[in-house]
Amino acid sequence: MTELPIWAVVLDYILGVIMWTLIGRFGMRLFLPEESKFFFSRFFITATDPLLRLFKPITPGFLVKPMVPLYIAWFFFMIRFYLMPWLLGYSVMGMLAFPLEGEIAQGIYAVFGRWLN
């Protein structure tokens, strides 16, 4: 990650957190209704509602409502996987090449590495 400019790392972290929050809302919706009073469910709904409203003009009408956060998360994934490497001059990004997920993977390996070998 040291070869990446700091603005790229910060932007990737922001886009990654947004993407994973949208995926979290989708996952939470699989098990809880939209009106649930559960704290985490309320957080995911409150945090992502502005994005759902922002993307409403390009969200297909045939898409079932619980799938909308996943559809929007796909846009953030595409930006992170295709646009960011292109802006940085890379032709291909490999597995765990995203700074956010790479840091998480390194943390998991640091904690559980001796059991994974």
Side-chain angles (χ1 to χ4, degrees), residues 1-113:
M1 190 165 47
T2 57
E3 68 274 353
L4 292 175
I6 190 69
W7 68 265
V9 174
V10 170
L11 182 59
D12 182 72
Y13 270 58
I14 292 168
L15 294 173
V17 167
I18 292 170
M19 181 186 81
W20 285 110
T21 305
L22 286 161
I23 292 171
R25 178 179 175 155
F26 166 75
M28 195 70 72
R29 183 72 195 272
L30 292 175
F31 302 103
L32 296 171
E34 186 87 19
E35 308 80 33
S36 173
K37 299 296 181 202
F38 183 55
F39 169 76
F40 289 113
S41 179
R42 295 279 19 128
F43 167 76
F44 283 116
I45 290 170
T46 304
T48 57
D49 268 349
L51 287 169
L52 271 60
R53 284 192 298 274
L54 181 67
F55 279 80
K56 190 168 181 68
I58 60 169
T59 302
F62 63 83
L63 201 59
V64 292
K65 190 173 180 179
M67 291 292 294
V68 171
L70 195 60
Y71 171 77
I72 296 170
W74 174 78
F75 281 102
F76 286 92
F77 172 79
M78 297 301 279
I79 291 168
R80 293 178 71 213
F81 197 78
Y82 291 109
L83 183 62
M84 288 291 292
W86 179 72
L87 289 175
L88 294 170
Y90 298 122
S91 60
V92 176
M93 295 282 281
M95 183 80 163
L96 290 177
F98 299 123
L100 174 66
E101 287 81 356
E103 291 285 327
I104 292 170
Q106 287 175 358
I108 291 171
Y109 187 75
V111 172
F112 299 107

